Structures are given as C-alpha cells and as structure tokens.
Amino acid sequence: MSTVLESGMYISLNKESDTIIKNDIELFRTNADAPDNKYKFTVNKFLNNVFVNMYDGRIFDREAVVKTRNKGAKGVNIKPNKTIMEKMEAAGLVINYDPVNDPVSADFAAFYVQLITEYCQKTRIERERIFYKQLINDLNDEIELKYLLKLKKNDGWDTYIFPYSIEKSDDVHKSYLTGFALRLTDKGYVYKKTLCVPLSKILGYQRIEKIRPEKQIFFEETPEIQSYADMKNYIEERFHTDGVLYLSDILRNVTVRLTDNGKEFFLSRTQHRPVYEFDKNDDHLVHCRATQLQTFMYFFKFGGDAEVLEPEDYRKYFIRKYENALNNYHYTPKNI
C-alpha cells in the first residue's frame, strides 16, 4: 500500500472520459483550498474526490474489469490520499498485498478507472450531485435542523440564507440550494424573498442561528405572505410555475407583442417559457408573470419576432442587449 501511496499510480482514460473530466473541472469550480482565489481543482484532486464519492462499498472483481487499450487514451499520474487507500482496502485490494510476488498497483489503477468511467457515463446533473455529495449531505442536515446559514461563495460575496431544499434546474442542468432571505430586526427576522444559490458557487458555510420559523420570522414587507406555511407554499408554487433558476428575483407583470412567426415560435418552445395567457382582445399580445432573467432567457432569441412592451425597465434591458449585439458585428451599411 505504501508504494502506491508514496509513488502514485498511472491511469489511462479514454477520449470521451477525458473530455468530460476536463469540462467538469471547469464547471465545478468550487475549491476552498485553492490559492489566490482561483477556485479550480487539479485533475488529481478532482478525480480523487470523484472516486471517493463513487465508491459504494463494492469488492474489487478482477475478472469484471476489462483491461483494454483505448486508442488515443489520455494518461494521468494519480497521487492517491489516505482516504482513497482506505476505500481500496475496503474493496479488498490491500489484504493480500505481497510487493514481491503479487504487486497490485495495476489492480489499484484498474479499480480507480472503473469508478471514474462509471462517473463519466452519468448525466451532467448526476455527475454534479456525485461531485458535491458531501456538501449536499451537510446542507440537508442544516435544512432539517433549521439553521440560518452564511454562505461563502467563490464570487467574493457572502449570502445569508434560511435553507429550504436542494433542487435541480432542468433548464440549465445544475443543482441549487434554495431558501429564504431574512432581514434581522429588533424583534426578530423579517421575510424578504426566496433565494437560490448554485452548489458550484458555495465554498463553505457557517451556522448563524437555529431558528424556530413559526415564532421567529415576521412578515412586514410581503402582504401576500403572512406565515411560515405561506412561505413554504409560495416557494413550492414558484418551483412549479417558474423553476428554481429564477427564485432570487421577484415576479413582474410582463407584456410582449409577437409577430405571426413569433407566436408560432412561442407555442412550440417550452424551455424557460413563463406562465402566460394571451390578451383577450389581441392574440398577438401575451401576458406573463416572470423575472427579468426568465424574460431575457426566453424572449431574447426571438429577435424581431417579439417586442417586450412592459415593464419599462425590462424593455430598456432588451434594447441595451440588442444594441450590444449589433455593435459586436460592426455593421456598416453599403452605399447604394
């Protein structure tokens, strides 16, 4: 065991797995131990984390591991840590270790690659859940215990959240910690709004206070929400009507004028589409309840086939974005 722990082991990943690992390292950037605020894992640390979270108590089966050479495979030298070696031993790879007659370094590498390959065969949202397995378990405990948390994020901002659940967004294939923003007053905490924070932005957290929400949360700023039960019902409704991605913004009344092509496009595209109804007097006017982000993500791709009429700040936002896009092309009309 000591030879592998001290010297490391060489593994070989096929092209597909290598590409997925490189992409996931960019996507899953949270790394509280990284220096200089560069929250990016090394390949070695990333793979070790995946292996530990993928290990499910199985015993290594030499016959079940297919040892083949993958054309164009990428080689990586892995430095396993003690936790990795404990998992290897639990899998039966250390008990009969004889460094002279039966070296097992190849079996270590084969078992390691087996679990990494299984990870790479899963969907993106499944891989994210595996990678953040420990964080998810810890946050679920805090949700159960009802602690107000201070999140340290890799964008340099701290966020205070009374956590509610961990949800996935089918729109962007990411997982989020959801919950509520509270404002501290002399008499207790006042409910402000719903929140969502991507797991990939959470470097860590600390407990602030254990809260009894039925007695310690007050409702001075939201007439439509006047109890903890209302809070929970509201966030559940937002999950179903808008999706987790848009929880951190408030809903506004939005009116959009569609062309004939825009209306056809609207009816056929469901991703990011907010809850809506067509105007009773003009079937090319659509009324929605949506955040600015949701409005932008859905309607911006319509181009000239959709015109955001209100609210005015949404309309101005679209104008700026279209002007920026036009400027990027440096278009100069030809003289006729």
Side-chain angles (χ1 to χ4, degrees):
M1 183 173 84
S2 60
T3 301
V4 176
L5 184 59
E6 294 170 4
S7 303
M9 58 187 176
Y10 187 82
I11 67 168
S12 182
L13 298 174
N14 61 40
K15 284 184 176 180
E16 292 78 9
S17 294
D18 179 68
T19 299
I20 288 171
I21 293 299
K22 288 178 178 177
N23 288 340
D24 284 359
I25 288 175
E26 294 296 327
L27 292 170
F28 309 154
R29 298 183 66 86
T30 302
N31 181 2
D33 298 324
D36 302 325
N37 292 324
K38 295 180 179 178
Y39 306 117
K40 181 178 177 181
F41 282 89
T42 63
V43 173
N44 187 95
K45 190 165 186 177
F46 184 91
L47 290 178
N48 280 346
N49 185 69
V50 168
F51 177 87
V52 169
N53 290 342
M54 280 293 295
Y55 181 67
D56 53 8
R58 75 183 73 179
I59 300 298
F60 174 70
D61 183 354
R62 183 180 288 107
E63 299 301 322
V65 176
V66 180
K67 298 178 181 178
T68 60
R69 286 184 175 273
N70 295 306
K71 187 176 181 180
K74 303 295 183 179
V76 182
N77 190 56
I78 296 296
K79 294 284 188 179
N81 54 38
K82 290 185 178 180
T83 303
I84 298 291
M85 300 312 295
E86 289 170 359
K87 303 297 184 186
M88 293 288 188
E89 186 170 6
L93 284 169
V94 179
I95 297 173
N96 299 318
Y97 176 51
D98 180 345
V100 176
N101 301 313
D102 185 24
V104 295
S105 59
D107 285 346
F108 277 112
F111 188 51
Y112 194 96
V113 170
Q114 180 184 10
L115 267 62
I116 298 301
T117 301
E118 289 179 13
Y119 164 86
C120 292
Q121 291 170 344
K122 296 182 179 296
T123 65
R124 187 224 182 274
I125 194 70
E126 290 173 331
R127 299 197 306 273
E128 184 183 54
R129 290 275 178 146
I130 290 167
F131 186 76
Y132 290 112
K133 179 180 178 181
Q134 188 58 55
L135 177 62
I136 290 172
N137 290 342
D138 291 344
L139 289 172
N140 278 327
D141 287 343
E142 306 302 340
I143 292 167
E144 182 71 22
L145 294 170
K146 292 183 169 57
Y147 271 96
L148 176 66
L149 304 179
K150 178 183 179 181
L151 304 181
K152 180 183 178 183
K153 299 190 299 177
N154 59 16
D155 59 6
W157 295 91
D158 294 335
T159 295
Y160 291 83
I161 185 172
F162 183 54
Y164 178 76
S165 64
I166 295 175
E167 305 287 340
K168 65 178 182 178
S169 169
D170 292 328
D171 290 339
V172 294
H173 308 293
K174 290 184 179 181
S175 293
Y176 292 79
L177 174 65
T178 75
F180 309 101
L182 307 177
R183 182 170 61 85
L184 180 60
T185 68
D186 292 338
K187 67 178 182 179
Y189 291 98
V190 174
Y191 168 78
K192 293 179 62 179
K193 65 174 185 175
T194 54
L195 287 176
C196 69
V197 181
L199 293 185
S200 59
K201 287 189 175 295
I202 302 175
L203 292 176
Y205 67 86
Q206 67 182 83
R207 290 174 172 177
I208 300 301
E209 182 181 354
K210 187 176 177 67
I211 291 181
R212 293 175 295 167
E214 294 85 356
K215 295 184 177 181
Q216 290 180 269
I217 300 179
F218 300 89
F219 305 90
E220 299 175 350
E221 302 175 4
T222 51
E224 71 280 8
I225 299 175
Q226 289 296 304
S227 70
Y228 181 51
D230 288 346
M231 282 173 58
K232 294 190 292 184
N233 289 336
Y234 177 69
I235 199 171
E236 290 289 344
E237 181 182 350
R238 292 287 301 273
F239 289 155
H240 292 296
T241 59
D242 311 309
V244 61
L245 182 61
Y246 312 107
L247 281 180
S248 292
D249 292 328
I250 62 172
L251 295 173
R252 304 273 298 279
N253 292 322
V254 181
T255 301
V256 180
R257 182 180 300 281
L258 302 172
T259 65
D260 288 339
N261 288 336
K263 185 176 179 180
E264 182 178 345
F265 195 60
F266 179 87
L267 293 172
S268 64
R269 301 300 174 98
T270 59
Q271 187 180 36
H272 303 299
R273 188 174 67 192
V275 176
Y276 70 94
E277 61 178 16
F278 284 104
D279 192 276
K280 295 179 180 179
N281 300 316
D282 185 345
D283 63 2
H284 284 73
L285 285 180
V286 61
H287 303 290
C288 312
R289 286 279 289 169
T291 67
Q292 179 174 286
L293 176 61
Q294 186 175 15
T295 305
F296 176 76
M297 292 185 71
Y298 185 73
F299 284 107
F300 190 76
K301 59 181 175 286
F302 281 57
D305 288 315
E307 180 188 2
V308 176
L309 301 178
E310 56 182 26
E312 183 65 21
D313 54 329
Y314 284 22
R315 179 180 175 86
K316 289 180 178 178
Y317 183 77
F318 269 70
I319 291 172
R320 288 199 307 271
K321 290 297 183 180
Y322 282 126
E323 286 177 343
N324 291 340
L326 181 62
N327 291 336
N328 285 338
Y329 286 93
H330 303 291
Y331 175 71
T332 302
K334 294 182 179 179
N335 293 326
I336 300 176

